[in-house]
Amino acid sequence: MQQFIKKARELLGERGVLHEEADLIVYEQDGTLAIRGRAYAVVFPRTVEEMSKVVELAYIYGIPIVGRGSGTSLSGGANPVKGGVIISTAWMNKILEIDLANEVAVVQAGVINDWINSYLTRMGYQYPIDLGYQYMADPGSQRVSTIGGNIAHNSGGVKCFKYGVTVNQLRGLTIVLPNGEVRRIGGKEFEQPGYDLIGLLTGSEGTLAFIAEAVVRIIPTYETTVTIIAKFDDLSAAGRAVSAVIASGAVPVAMELMDKLAVEAIESGPYAAGLPKDAEAILLIQVEGSPPGAAEESAKVAEVLKKSGAVGVEVVVDPAIAARIWAARKQAFGAMGYVGPNYVVEDGTIPRKKLAEALMIARAAGAKRGLRVANVFHAGDGNLHPLILYDERKPGEREKAIEAGEEILEACVELGGTITGEHGVGYMKRKLLPKMYTKEEIELMKAIKTAFDPKWLMNPGKIFP
Amino acid sequence: MQQFIKKARELLGERGVLHEEADLIVYEQDGTLAIRGRAYAVVFPRTVEEMSKVVELAYIYGIPIVGRGSGTSLSGGANPVKGGVIISTAWMNKILEIDLANEVAVVQAGVINDWINSYLTRMGYQYPIDLGYQYMADPGSQRVSTIGGNIAHNSGGVKCFKYGVTVNQLRGLTIVLPNGEVRRIGGKEFEQPGYDLIGLLTGSEGTLAFIAEAVVRIIPTYETTVTIIAKFDDLSAAGRAVSAVIASGAVPVAMELMDKLAVEAIESGPYAAGLPKDAEAILLIQVEGSPPGAAEESAKVAEVLKKSGAVGVEVVVDPAIAARIWAARKQAFGAMGYVGPNYVVEDGTIPRKKLAEALMIARAAGAKRGLRVANVFHAGDGNLHPLILYDERKPGEREKAIEAGEEILEACVELGGTITGEHGVGYMKRKLLPKMYTKEEIELMKAIKTAFDPKWLMNPGKIFP
């Protein structure tokens, strides 16, 4: 280990290698509050070449390696549960190329998701993976998720109903294999011969190879967006309204659902946007198009919502007001502090038509343990994010909250869904994997793992039970 | 082998197993005219269960197996080059479920691509993978590609500029492993935990597992489509116009380019649609939206085309006229018989901004061998389909045509593209794979192959050099 640190310093400089206890404590956790793990060192490569060399170094010494972007994983994915070295992409933060003719951007893995859009907006383009709740309306106030992390978790976000998830945006990857070798997969075109290694690597949670750079698809921004707010006095009616909007043939960009408790939290904080606090649930829908197209679509959606039992429907055309509403939505997780001291947030998916049912199950899973559950999530693609509130000062509440979360995820699987939408299996959900796959399927995944990483050095202790 | 045939008959019935020479001859070729290969038998399972049992049977006897949909592969992918048994999906032709609330269709692998759309149209929905040139305007007149084949090749088609390729439409797969075991991967939701086996299997050309059933995404059809025809007196100007349209921020559904020779062929046949025969190239663009949205977008596209050097631009709103034009486009391959007795068709991709350059290279590759090259292809996503015309009665011409094709594909790679867009590596392009990948990358793919198919029984002789 001393040898590794010495050589890593020669390679990355003094500041590129952290190994003092005071520094390492900062890297003991990711967004998952329930677990900790101490790395021996954290290293900061700046380029593909440096990443390759430092990974090779770890390989030579047989040291486990864990990738880390901004550490927003909710499953312990970026946590060094087995020690080893953390490879941070914090310094690999450059947008390398914007190629409008081929509609792609080439970025380093540590680029913050939102930076691409900040950069593209003035060109009339967007990278359509907007990780809703991690976005900060006040830019620069906080770290947010990186492209590398998005790829490792195949993240979705608020717009995936229309534009698909991260894997749908990828054209090419530069990866570093566990032995330090660099591979360039794909490029600027749509399709590649041979096996789809991009598909395989996306969502593999850093267990197969490191993502160093990515070629991502960018698309033109529509001229106009219109936001529709619908108020419901029944949570399951809001769930059913989502299905009705989809069945109507409308193609909203985003459909977010917030329940009463979530609205209460938001409206108690600095991002209050005047959302109706008396509603049992609010649906927030965005449509886009040319000015007449967006107007027509929003009118259609409003009509469907009224017919589906919405007790109030408001169409917001003013971009300034709409921006405030979306910022409020995106601050929902942070605002939870106003309604409860702690929370566990889960990340399950369900087939969309089971939405109403799943919401009732989530609420009941909390209620029977004396816990409140807030819901604020991507309804369009059936990706639930129940927030189970608890107070860690009360003995046993934390355990009950975790238990309720697991019960909700198991219900997701029973309803035909999955145990994770966009924050990974990681460490926390390993034991749930057999609920989704047979022993033989898991063996097949392990064989693939071994093909990439024969020494099992990459992010050990993750995904597999 | 006799044992296999006997048991397969018990399983599938008399008609479910072909093994007479007269029957087998029919299955000696796929769309690739340059190679033949004779199977020992062709079997026709009807269900996942029957497929599982017949694959298991082959496994027990150590017999190689080759999947076959409609045999439209252009790379020998469905060809039993090493003998063995062909597993045809011709009887697995049922649409099992249309679930509008979750916006998915569940289909058997042998369902013809176009059937899904015929079925969905009346519901206002579509499956967005339209394999342009294989579509027949006169339904029932010919076999066309199957969903299973589309998945095996990760096919694109005319609409992939907007909607992505096959892998972007898949939510779930039921597969049969080489030993006959059945696995269900994914379902009706967007995302799955663990490795993305759907991504890996899509485009794997039947070398990892059989596709038995698929859950595919379906999407609402827009109310209005408008077709724009632009005429150019310079082929490379048409190529540049494609880039200009994209750079303008327009999002056409389809952008097809046809050169003079292709138009001449089309206009000589029964699908003549009055396309201008004096143009050096024609761009055929479709936009969609609400009526005002589509009108606005088509006006914008027409404007860009004029500025990009189009010598004539026509906006076609009448759906009957537009249907005739698209049918003509889709008949282009068949119409080639009017301009030359034989052709080799290639399938390469290039970054879109290299389009004009690639077209010049393709033309030159033919010209220097005294051969004419027609171009008719998906310009929006940079997927070239050069048709190299030759006369097999003239000694040496066939070889020259194949040589020209290889030269074009190599140029695609040099321009930053690939050796196949949607018809696979198969048998014909195996030796080109090392032009795309290093030895180590190919070894990695082989390790994945071995993880799925330890005996290498699945479609032997394909993909790998």
Side-chain angles (χ1 to χ4, degrees):
Chain A
M1 200 60 218
Q2 288 309 315
Q3 278 296 319
F4 171 84
I5 288 173
K6 186 169 164 281
K7 293 200 173 165
R9 283 191 152 180
E10 284 167 20
L11 181 66
L12 306 173
E14 196 77 11
R15 290 181 55 227
V17 182
L18 299 179
H19 61 96
E20 305 283 348
E21 192 181 350
D23 293 325
L24 296 178
I25 286 172
V26 182
Y27 293 88
E28 279 186 352
Q29 288 192 310
D30 58 14
T32 325
L33 303 180
I35 52 159
R36 283 170 191 274
R38 176 83 58 90
Y40 307 128
V42 185
V43 297
F44 298 85
R46 266 160 295 227
T47 61
V48 175
E49 206 186 11
E50 284 185 0
M51 184 187 262
S52 156
K53 283 189 181 153
V54 78
V55 169
E56 188 189 0
L57 212 51
Y59 184 79
I60 289 167
Y61 293 106
I63 301 168
I65 40 180
V66 180
R68 185 181 175 103
S70 296
T72 57
S73 164
L74 295 177
S75 54
N79 203 305
V81 289
K82 308 225 165 181
V85 168
I86 290 177
I87 315 247
S88 167
T89 56
W91 290 3
M92 293 181 70
N93 56 6
K94 280 160 210 72
I95 296 176
L96 303 171
E97 187 190 351
I98 301 283
D99 177 347
L100 291 187
N102 287 308
E103 293 192 313
V104 291
V106 185
V107 299
Q108 284 189 308
V111 165
I112 303 293
N113 176 296
D114 191 47
W115 292 355
I116 307 181
N117 279 323
S118 307
Y119 195 83
L120 287 174
T121 301
R122 39 190 154 134
M123 302 176 183
Y125 272 79
Q126 62 173 320
Y127 172 60
I129 299 296
D130 166 9
L131 290 178
Y133 46 89
Q134 288 163 331
Y135 177 95
M136 296 296 143
D138 172 13
S141 67
Q142 251 185 301
R143 289 179 315 182
V144 284
S145 73
T146 62
I147 293 296
N150 295 174
I151 295 169
H153 292 87
N154 194 17
S155 301
V158 301
K159 292 181 174 178
C160 74
F161 172 62
K162 180 162 181 184
Y163 292 114
V165 293
T166 298
V167 72
N168 304 127
Q169 322 303 332
L170 297 177
R171 294 280 167 77
L173 290 179
T174 301
I175 61 167
V176 176
L177 290 175
N179 64 0
E181 285 177 32
V182 176
R183 300 275 174 270
R184 286 175 213 280
I185 306 167
K188 293 182 174 179
E189 327 72 36
F190 272 72
E191 296 197 75
Q192 293 298 324
Y195 300 149
D196 177 14
L197 299 180
I198 293 180
L200 182 61
L201 288 159
T202 307
S204 66
E205 304 188 22
T207 61
L208 299 178
F210 275 107
I211 310 297
E213 290 175 7
V215 184
V216 302
R217 165 199 186 215
I218 58 177
I219 54 172
T221 311
Y222 278 89
E223 242 174 298
T224 313
T225 59
V226 177
T227 296
I228 302 128
I229 309 171
K231 195 176 137 178
F232 292 84
D233 50 19
D234 173 12
L235 181 56
S236 64
R240 285 191 301 271
V242 171
S243 300
V245 169
I246 292 164
S248 78
V251 188
V253 195
M255 276 211 271
E256 298 285 304
L257 198 151
M258 285 177 277
D259 66 9
K260 191 171 191 170
L261 190 54
V263 174
E264 184 188 326
I266 292 168
E267 291 298 321
S268 306
Y271 287 94
L275 296 171
K277 286 198 276 186
D278 59 332
E280 277 301 318
I282 290 176
L283 263 185
L284 214 56
I285 297 179
Q286 193 179 76
V287 300
E288 63 182 10
S290 61
E296 203 183 289
E297 178 114 327
S298 56
K300 182 173 158 185
V301 169
E303 200 49 50
V304 174
L305 290 168
K306 278 175 202 156
K307 280 190 192 148
S308 311
V311 294
V313 178
E314 195 186 338
V315 176
V316 179
V317 181
D318 184 333
I321 299 176
R324 233 178 107 203
I325 293 167
W326 284 99
R329 155 63 187 95
K330 288 167 177 179
Q331 285 297 329
F333 281 30
M336 282 300 142
Y338 291 99
V339 290
N342 307 89
Y343 65 77
V344 166
V345 56
E346 283 301 350
D347 168 42
T349 74
I350 37 135
R352 279 188 311 237
K353 70 176 162 194
K354 302 282 174 70
L355 206 52
E357 202 174 329
L359 290 171
M360 292 301 115
I361 290 171
R363 184 169 277 191
K368 76 179 181 202
R369 294 176 177 88
L371 302 173
R372 292 194 298 169
V373 178
N375 279 291
V376 44
F377 63 96
H378 317 316
D381 62 318
N383 186 182
L384 298 182
H385 288 318
L387 296 129
I388 305 143
L389 300 173
Y390 70 96
D391 185 341
E392 70 178 1
R393 294 163 301 188
K394 293 185 189 159
E397 276 217 341
R398 183 169 156 276
E399 290 67 30
K400 278 187 202 165
I402 291 175
E403 214 179 84
E406 284 177 3
E407 188 177 315
I408 295 168
L409 290 183
E410 285 178 25
C412 286
V413 175
E414 268 160 44
L415 291 172
T418 76
I419 56 170
T420 173
E422 54 186 3
H423 297 271
V425 177
Y427 179 76
M428 298 296 282
K429 298 184 186 174
R430 288 174 310 155
K431 62 179 182 190
L432 292 172
L433 204 68
K435 297 209 180 289
M436 299 273 333
Y437 297 104
T438 62
K439 198 170 154 288
E440 291 76 18
E441 282 162 331
I442 293 172
E443 287 307 316
L444 192 57
M445 290 186 193
K446 284 185 178 171
I448 293 170
K449 161 81 174 169
T450 304
F452 276 83
D453 181 18
K455 294 190 187 176
W456 282 62
L457 289 177
M458 300 277 306
N459 210 1
K462 307 299 167 63
I463 297 185
F464 297 108
Chain B
M1 201 59 219
Q2 288 310 315
Q3 277 296 319
F4 171 84
I5 288 172
K6 186 169 161 282
K7 293 200 173 165
R9 282 191 154 179
E10 283 166 20
L11 181 67
L12 306 173
E14 197 75 12
R15 290 182 55 227
V17 182
L18 298 179
H19 60 97
E20 305 282 349
E21 191 180 352
D23 292 324
L24 297 177
I25 287 172
V26 182
Y27 292 87
E28 279 187 351
Q29 289 192 311
D30 58 15
T32 325
L33 302 180
I35 52 158
R36 284 169 191 273
R38 175 83 57 91
Y40 307 126
V42 185
V43 298
F44 298 85
R46 265 161 295 225
T47 60
V48 175
E49 206 187 13
E50 285 184 359
M51 184 186 262
S52 156
K53 284 188 181 154
V54 78
V55 169
E56 188 189 0
L57 212 52
Y59 183 78
I60 290 167
Y61 293 106
I63 301 167
I65 41 180
V66 181
R68 186 181 175 103
S70 296
T72 57
S73 164
L74 296 177
S75 54
N79 203 305
V81 288
K82 308 228 164 178
V85 168
I86 289 176
I87 315 249
S88 167
T89 56
W91 289 3
M92 293 181 70
N93 56 6
K94 279 160 211 72
I95 296 176
L96 302 171
E97 188 190 349
I98 302 285
D99 176 348
L100 291 187
N102 287 309
E103 293 193 313
V104 291
V106 184
V107 299
Q108 284 189 308
V111 164
I112 302 294
N113 176 296
D114 192 46
W115 291 354
I116 307 182
N117 279 323
S118 307
Y119 194 82
L120 287 174
T121 300
R122 35 188 157 135
M123 302 177 183
Y125 273 79
Q126 61 174 319
Y127 173 61
I129 299 297
D130 166 9
L131 290 178
Y133 45 88
Q134 288 162 330
Y135 176 94
M136 296 297 143
D138 172 14
S141 66
Q142 252 186 302
R143 290 178 316 182
V144 285
S145 72
T146 62
I147 293 296
N150 294 173
I151 295 169
H153 292 86
N154 193 17
S155 301
V158 301
K159 292 182 174 178
C160 75
F161 172 62
K162 179 163 182 184
Y163 293 113
V165 293
T166 298
V167 72
N168 304 128
Q169 323 302 331
L170 295 178
R171 295 279 168 79
L173 289 179
T174 300
I175 61 168
V176 176
L177 291 174
N179 64 1
E181 285 177 32
V182 176
R183 299 275 173 271
R184 285 174 215 281
I185 306 168
K188 293 182 174 179
E189 326 71 36
F190 271 72
E191 295 197 74
Q192 293 298 324
Y195 298 150
D196 177 14
L197 300 179
I198 293 181
L200 182 60
L201 288 159
T202 307
S204 66
E205 304 188 22
T207 62
L208 299 178
F210 275 109
I211 310 297
E213 290 174 8
V215 184
V216 302
R217 165 198 185 216
I218 58 176
I219 54 172
T221 311
Y222 278 89
E223 243 173 298
T224 313
T225 59
V226 176
T227 296
I228 302 128
I229 309 171
K231 195 175 138 177
F232 293 85
D233 51 19
D234 174 11
L235 181 57
S236 64
R240 285 191 302 271
V242 170
S243 299
V245 169
I246 292 165
S248 78
V251 188
V253 195
M255 276 211 270
E256 298 285 304
L257 199 151
M258 286 177 276
D259 67 7
K260 192 171 191 170
L261 190 53
V263 174
E264 185 190 327
I266 291 166
E267 291 297 320
S268 306
Y271 287 94
L275 297 171
K277 286 197 276 186
D278 58 332
E280 277 301 319
I282 289 178
L283 263 185
L284 214 56
I285 298 180
Q286 193 179 75
V287 300
E288 63 184 8
S290 61
E296 203 184 290
E297 178 114 327
S298 56
K300 181 173 160 185
V301 169
E303 200 49 49
V304 174
L305 290 168
K306 277 174 202 156
K307 281 189 193 149
S308 312
V311 294
V313 177
E314 194 187 339
V315 176
V316 178
V317 180
D318 183 333
I321 299 175
R324 232 178 109 203
I325 293 166
W326 284 100
R329 156 62 187 94
K330 288 168 177 180
Q331 286 298 328
F333 279 31
M336 282 300 142
Y338 291 100
V339 290
N342 307 89
Y343 66 78
V344 165
V345 56
E346 282 301 352
D347 169 42
T349 74
I350 38 138
R352 280 188 309 237
K353 69 177 162 194
K354 302 284 175 68
L355 205 52
E357 201 174 330
L359 290 171
M360 291 302 114
I361 291 170
R363 184 169 277 189
K368 75 179 182 203
R369 294 176 176 88
L371 303 174
R372 293 195 298 171
V373 177
N375 280 292
V376 45
F377 63 95
H378 317 317
D381 63 317
N383 186 183
L384 298 181
H385 288 317
L387 295 129
I388 306 144
L389 300 173
Y390 69 96
D391 186 340
E392 70 177 0
R393 294 162 301 189
K394 293 185 189 159
E397 275 218 341
R398 183 170 155 275
E399 290 67 29
K400 278 187 201 165
I402 291 175
E403 213 178 84
E406 286 176 1
E407 188 176 315
I408 295 169
L409 290 183
E410 286 178 25
C412 286
V413 175
E414 269 161 44
L415 292 172
T418 76
I419 56 170
T420 172
E422 54 186 2
H423 298 271
V425 177
Y427 180 78
M428 297 297 282
K429 297 184 185 174
R430 289 174 309 156
K431 63 179 182 190
L432 293 172
L433 203 68
K435 297 210 180 289
M436 298 274 332
Y437 298 103
T438 62
K439 198 171 153 289
E440 291 75 18
E441 283 161 329
I442 294 171
E443 286 308 316
L444 192 57
M445 290 187 191
K446 283 185 177 173
I448 293 170
K449 161 81 174 169
T450 303
F452 276 82
D453 181 18
K455 294 190 187 177
W456 283 62
L457 289 176
M458 300 277 306
N459 211 1
K462 306 300 165 64
I463 297 184
F464 298 107

